[in-house]
């Protein structure tokens, strides 16, 4: 089985935020069952010059709920996050699936204008 990920970002000027959309696609020929141990299904991290400046899960509490999400071949799942009150600069954004038995990661560059 093979999971492929893409990460897209968009600015939201009305809320002074950066929105992240992490899409996981099952590129394999067999169904995949994504299993999670809590409500945080994906982690989002921003770094500048390889130094972490923001982490989605930091300071948050997530429900301790076991859940699963099936993905048939060619099917996708999307996970979103929001970075509120971003500081101007250029960053590398990384999104990582937090499933127990499957891994998938995607990166993209983010530029926050001043």
């Amino acid at each position: 089985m093979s999971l492929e990920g893409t990460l897209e970002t968009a600015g939201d000027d009305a809320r002074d935020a950066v929105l992240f959309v992490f899409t996981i696609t099952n590129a394999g020929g067999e169904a995949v069952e994504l299993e999670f141990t809590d409500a945080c299904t994906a982690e989002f991290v921003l770094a500048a010059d390889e130094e972490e400046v923001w982490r989605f899960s930091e300071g948050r509490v997530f429900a301790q709920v076991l859940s699963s999400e099936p993905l048939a071949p060619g099917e996708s799942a999307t996970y979103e996050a929001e970075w509120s009150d971003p500081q101007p600069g250029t960053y590398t954004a990384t999104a990582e699936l937090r499933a127990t038995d499957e891994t998938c990661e995607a990166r993209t560059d983010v530029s926050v204008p001043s």
Side-chain angles (χ1 to χ4, degrees):
M1 71 195 102
S2 174
L3 296 177
E4 295 179 357
T6 60
L7 179 58
E8 296 178 15
T9 63
D12 187 337
D13 295 334
R15 292 191 314 218
D16 193 25
V18 177
L19 308 175
F20 300 94
V21 179
F22 180 37
T23 303
I24 305 292
T25 302
N26 179 357
E30 297 181 22
V32 175
E33 188 77 21
L34 303 177
E35 296 181 3
F36 304 98
T37 58
D38 63 25
C40 185
T41 53
E43 178 68 272
F44 298 83
V45 177
L46 266 84
D49 298 321
E50 297 187 31
E51 184 175 326
E52 186 175 306
V53 295
W54 178 81
R55 178 175 288 269
F56 173 72
S57 64
E58 188 172 311
R60 297 175 189 248
V61 177
F62 298 95
Q64 300 299 301
V65 176
L66 297 177
S67 64
S68 63
E69 186 171 355
L71 279 183
E75 196 171 45
S76 297
T78 300
Y79 307 97
E80 298 179 1
E82 179 181 300
W83 180 27
S84 299
D85 196 26
Q87 299 300 311
T90 302
Y91 305 93
T92 299
T94 304
E96 182 179 359
L97 183 67
R98 290 189 36 156
T100 57
D101 292 336
E102 302 294 334
T103 61
C104 187
E105 182 177 286
R107 294 175 194 258
T108 192
D109 292 329
V110 179
S111 183
V112 178
S114 34

